[in-house]
Amino acid sequence: MMINYSLILAKNQYLETERLHLRPVTLADAEDMFDYASDGETATYVFPVHYKLADTEAAIASYFIKEPLGKYGIELKENGKMIGSIDLRVDEVNRVAEIGYTLNKAYWGQGIVAEAGKVLVQLGFEKLNLVRIFAKYDIDNPNSGKVMDKLGMKEEGVQPNARINKGKIVTDVIKGMTSRDWEEMNK
């Protein structure tokens, strides 16, 4: 069965949950993104801190606008503020995808990323016909792992010295779920 991943993602650029709109990130989001991208605590495990709005605009253009499919701004329905981003990076050859996310720390602990992630997991298994979805986090950032737990992911392994982030050697924890896990959860 041939799956046109780009077409499916293009048809699903706008997703909705109870509290959120997931949608493409545009340059109009630069100020909202700068709110959290300029915060060292929020950016610690994800990307270099943005020191000026131009840093954020450049990141939006090169990451979100250049190849927008599977990448979403997390917008609050109540006020239209873009408070984070989440993406589903699909490996078409192996029919797997990695989820990555970041959220303005003012909104941590409210289940927002798990709410957004559930929609992407559903998209991945039900429309993209993926066989596995996974995520990884720096072992020093266990709260990220809690989001993965809420999505139904299970620990698959630990990668010591997996990468260097901002000059620090990082051990990654990998969590994931298979299409069979998804079916079991949704019986």
Side-chain angles (χ1 to χ4, degrees), residues 52-71:
K52 40 190 196 308
L53 190 61
D55 297 337
T56 305
E57 290 173 335
I60 289 172
S62 64
Y63 185 74
F64 292 97
I65 295 174
K66 185 177 180 185
E67 294 181 25
L69 297 181
K71 299 171 185 172

Side-chain angles (χ1 to χ4, degrees), residues 14-15 36 40 69 77 87 105 116 128 163 170 178 180:
Y14 296 87
L15 302 170
Y36 63 85
L69 297 181
K77 281 183 177 178
D87 55 5
K105 77 176 177 191
L128 295 169
R163 59 192 165 92
V170 174
T178 65
R180 181 172 288 148

